[in-house]
Amino acid sequence: MKQAILDSLNGMSVTDWIVPGIFLFVFLCRFYYLLFFSARVVFSSRKEVIVNQKPRQPITVFLTVRNEEDNLRKLLPQLLGINDDCYEVVVVDDYSLDNTFTVLGSFKHYPNFHFSSLNEETRFSVKLAQNIALKAAQHEWVLTLPIETTSVGKDWINGFSVNTTTDNRNVMMGYSGIQRKPGYFNLLYRTENFLQQMRSVGYVANGIPFVYFEDNVAFRKEEYFKLGGYGQKTKEAYANLELIINQFITKKKTVLLFNENTCITKEVETNRDDFYNLLNRSFRVEKYLPAWKRTLLGFDTLTNLLYTPLLIALFVFYFDLWPLFVALAGIKIMLHLILLKITLNRLRERKIFLSSLVYGWLMPYFKTFYKWYFNQSARRSKWRIKV
């Protein structure tokens, strides 16, 4: 077999090498991505939490809520019950129509708890509520926590606060997972949520920093006010603090806290519309990134799209060389499996191992089409508004 492969290679003309050459280039790009992006998520983001480690700086945990009385009753007793003097909680009620404000008032006896509310309904009120929360924060560091969080613990606070004592840090990124529920779209949502965050962390580790999510991310609030808050981005419908964080995030000043202690789990709706809104938000976040980052993301997507069709073409037109193609593809798959399994175990993500493999193989093609459709719809809507 070895001699047959060598004979086939020696008999190939320059033009015969075009498709294999393109495949080898794409393969090296994807293998490089696994080694220096996905692998860095595994080896560079594990920061152990040492309970009661000192010195620590206090941190403000803030939430914006609307009609969330049930979730507040579940989350606030846990959050405020943490026996730690190194944090405060700020909640802003976004003009709720249920008993949210009354529930907030029932926790006012906690000295580290502060709350406020919007007096009227306004457009883009989430951003306004976040601005109020950041102004009310008494500490230099602020940490976003979604109201849908199912549980928090002392190690979660420790995991962030022990990393606030140096001046060369502006952002700390934790992982936010989605609670498993029955349903096809829950599986899709959980998988896309996981892969988006893995992509973001891999890019941060390689000096191309950006975030897809504001949840479970801590940052210095002065960076927000230096930029003047949301400014022209106030009317962006799909993304919030991600837009601001991406303006000041840098590799050297970012800490990756993707481990068991600092991750959270959210219980959110995961129907068809929620899944598409998750995709829409990622498209809008990417739109606001600098051109050079968008170019690198585009190149990453392009090589991912080309890999499978090129591999199939090689089997069809260069079948004599199939052992080489199988060996290359096998090495890449094995590395992918190992890194994926380690990462999922670290983040306590369950039951999305196989779905992540299949999703990562098939969905890039759908997402490319859907992104084009989404952008076209946005342009048509903008044109109608102008008319």
Side-chain angles (χ1 to χ4, degrees):
M1 180 178 293
K2 179 180 178 181
Q3 186 61 44
I5 293 174
L6 292 175
D7 291 341
S8 297
L9 292 173
N10 291 330
M12 292 172 60
S13 65
V14 175
T15 54
D16 291 334
W17 275 101
I18 293 177
V19 175
I22 296 174
F23 171 77
L24 287 174
F25 174 76
V26 171
F27 171 83
L28 290 174
C29 290
R30 301 315 303 165
F31 198 75
Y32 178 90
Y33 181 85
L34 280 175
L35 284 178
F36 295 99
F37 284 72
S38 300
R40 284 194 179 184
V41 176
V42 174
F43 298 113
S44 69
S45 64
R46 190 178 183 89
K47 301 292 184 180
E48 296 293 344
V49 175
I50 302 176
V51 179
N52 294 326
Q53 175 178 318
K54 294 182 180 180
R56 294 189 296 157
Q57 290 187 15
I59 194 168
T60 296
V61 180
F62 72 96
L63 307 86
T64 58
V65 298
R66 182 169 187 170
N67 299 330
E68 296 285 1
E69 56 176 304
D70 292 335
N71 281 329
L72 284 169
R73 289 191 178 100
K74 296 176 184 177
L75 180 60
L76 284 183
Q78 300 179 55
L79 186 57
L80 295 171
I82 298 174
N83 185 23
D84 194 322
D85 59 358
C86 210
Y87 79 107
E88 66 169 353
V89 178
V90 173
V91 181
V92 177
D93 176 22
D94 183 7
Y95 195 68
S96 295
L97 300 179
D98 62 358
N99 295 317
T100 290
F101 198 74
T102 302
V103 173
L104 291 174
S106 66
F107 291 91
K108 63 182 180 181
H109 59 282
Y110 285 90
N112 62 336
F113 178 62
H114 313 282
F115 66 96
S116 183
S117 67
L118 301 183
N119 297 322
E120 59 182 353
E121 187 172 13
T122 61
R123 295 186 66 192
F124 313 110
S125 55
V126 172
K127 294 180 176 62
L128 178 58
Q130 289 177 333
N131 190 66
I132 292 173
L134 290 169
K135 287 182 177 179
Q138 298 180 14
H139 305 310
E140 179 182 5
W141 279 91
V142 293
L143 171 59
T144 60
L145 181 67
I147 185 59
E148 300 89 357
T149 303
T150 56
S151 63
V152 293
K154 183 174 181 179
D155 287 345
W156 174 70
I157 290 290
N158 275 322
F160 285 92
S161 62
V162 298
N163 284 282
T164 61
T165 56
T166 58
D167 294 332
N168 64 341
R169 292 170 179 169
N170 284 339
V171 179
M172 293 181 285
M173 296 173 58
Y175 178 75
S176 57
I178 305 299
Q179 189 175 71
R180 183 189 177 200
K181 291 183 178 180
Y184 174 70
F185 280 103
N186 176 265
L187 181 61
L188 287 180
Y189 194 105
R190 292 174 61 218
T191 306
E192 175 66 21
N193 173 78
F194 166 74
L195 292 178
Q196 282 189 23
Q197 292 183 73
M198 292 305 101
R199 190 183 201 193
S200 173
V201 172
Y203 273 73
V204 171
N206 283 274
I208 316 166
F210 71 95
V211 297
Y212 279 118
F213 299 93
E214 63 182 358
D215 298 340
N216 206 28
V217 174
F219 58 92
R220 294 183 189 271
K221 68 177 183 179
E222 67 181 46
E223 300 296 332
Y224 171 86
F225 292 110
K226 281 181 183 178
L227 296 171
Y230 279 101
Q232 297 297 320
K233 298 180 177 64
T234 300
K235 297 182 180 181
E236 170 55 51
Y238 288 100
N240 294 313
L241 281 172
E242 303 94 347
L243 306 176
I244 309 303
I245 295 171
N246 284 340
Q247 292 185 70
F248 60 78
I249 186 173
T250 61
K251 175 188 175 182
K252 292 183 178 180
K253 293 189 176 183
T254 300
V255 180
L256 303 177
L257 300 174
F258 272 46
N259 55 57
E260 302 91 333
N261 296 302
T262 53
C263 67
I264 62 171
T265 302
K266 300 181 293 184
E267 184 178 2
V268 298
E269 292 296 325
T270 51
N271 56 35
R272 179 180 182 275
D273 290 340
D274 295 309
F275 172 70
Y276 281 114
N277 283 333
L278 180 65
L279 296 181
N280 296 342
R281 178 173 60 180
S282 69
F283 301 154
R284 298 302 293 176
V285 168
E286 291 175 5
K287 177 183 180 297
Y288 286 96
L289 295 176
W292 68 277
K293 292 184 182 181
R294 296 199 307 272
T295 300
L296 291 172
L297 285 170
F299 180 77
D300 176 12
T301 300
L302 177 62
T303 56
N304 195 24
L305 292 172
L306 290 175
Y307 179 79
T308 299
L310 285 170
L311 184 60
I312 294 173
L314 290 178
F315 275 102
V316 173
F317 299 107
Y318 301 85
F319 187 74
D320 291 342
L321 300 176
W322 69 265
L324 290 179
F325 310 145
V326 170
L328 291 175
I331 293 172
K332 178 178 176 295
I333 291 173
M334 288 302 299
L335 179 60
H336 187 185
L337 291 173
I338 293 170
L339 295 175
L340 180 61
K341 188 63 176 178
I342 294 174
T343 305
L344 289 172
N345 288 341
R346 174 180 302 180
L347 300 176
R348 295 181 295 184
E349 281 285 5
R350 301 292 182 264
K351 305 298 182 180
I352 63 170
F353 179 71
L354 292 178
S355 66
S356 297
L357 291 174
V358 177
Y359 188 100
W361 174 41
L362 295 177
M363 282 302 291
Y365 302 97
F366 170 77
K367 287 173 65 176
T368 299
F369 167 77
Y370 179 69
K371 184 176 182 179
W372 173 84
Y373 171 79
F374 173 77
N375 290 334
Q376 292 298 314
S377 299
R379 291 191 186 98
R380 287 195 295 268
S381 298
K382 186 177 181 180
W383 182 83
R384 285 195 294 267
I385 292 173
K386 287 183 178 181
V387 173

